[in-house]
Amino acid sequence: MKYPKYIENHLPEIKQIVESWPIEKPLTEVLTWIMQFDASDYDLAIRILRSLNVIGAKEMNNALSVAYSKLIRHSKDLGEKITQEDTIFMPIGGAGKSGAMIAYGFRTINGLSTAHFLNQDSLALLQMSKITNLVLIDDIIAT
């Protein structure tokens, strides 16, 4: 496929960046992502690529485990408890969105019951004001 001149000129660098990631990502998908920007912003897209810290499944699982440990520790510091009776975990976004995917990993890595996650039963508990902790789960890109 023929790409705009700016992208063609940076193709070796883009390829090197993508090949350095700990995951398999087709170069064509990354190039398509860059081309969603206006041509005047291709340089910005490539700067973003240079700055990304891409993690693999092992690092993601570790991060989800650490996040839960920090949540438990923080709740104890506040004199609170995270229990099935008073806590609901809720992904941001619907099924098939990244928040739901992260929430699934969070649940399985930390051995949490599905009862801890938003469902019809937990909606009833919310309406009866028995839930004191609502933990929102999503993915982010941040510095």
Side-chain angles (χ1 to χ4, degrees):
M1 178 176 192
K2 183 106 171 112
Y3 296 102
K5 188 161 182 61
Y6 188 88
I7 293 175
E8 286 283 344
N9 291 341
H10 288 81
L11 204 50
E13 178 187 10
I14 297 166
K15 185 176 180 185
Q16 182 180 12
I17 291 168
V18 172
E19 288 175 351
S20 74
W21 292 345
I23 61 167
E24 294 281 328
K25 190 61 147 175
L27 180 61
T28 55
E29 286 185 24
V30 175
L31 296 172
T32 299
W33 177 81
I34 293 170
M35 289 190 306
Q36 76 177 337
F37 290 83
D38 292 335
S40 61
D41 290 327
Y42 288 163
D43 64 322
L44 174 62
I46 294 171
R47 284 188 4 229
I48 291 169
L49 284 179
R50 286 184 198 122
S51 300
L52 282 178
N53 180 18
V54 177
I55 62 173
K58 183 178 177 181
E59 295 88 356
M60 174 61 83
N61 291 344
N62 186 49
L64 295 173
S65 178
V66 168
Y68 185 63
S69 295
K70 286 183 175 183
L71 174 67
I72 297 300
R73 186 174 39 237
H74 184 69
S75 69
K76 284 181 182 177
D77 290 347
L78 294 174
E80 296 290 330
K81 270 191 150 178
I82 301 289
T83 68
Q84 185 169 317
E85 291 76 31
D86 69 359
T87 304
I88 293 177
F89 294 90
M90 187 177 100
I92 296 177
K97 296 292 186 179
S98 57
M101 292 171 30
I102 297 295
Y104 176 79
F106 183 85
R107 183 181 67 75
T108 58
I109 291 301
N110 294 301
L112 299 172
S113 165
T114 56
H116 265 63
F117 288 76
L118 188 64
N119 59 39
Q120 292 294 10
D121 294 335
S122 55
L123 285 175
L125 292 173
L126 277 170
Q127 291 169 340
M128 293 186 293
S129 301
K130 293 192 176 197
I131 300 300
T132 57
N133 304 302
L134 179 61
V135 179
L136 303 175
I137 301 175
D138 200 11
D139 69 331
I140 63 165
I141 295 178
T143 59

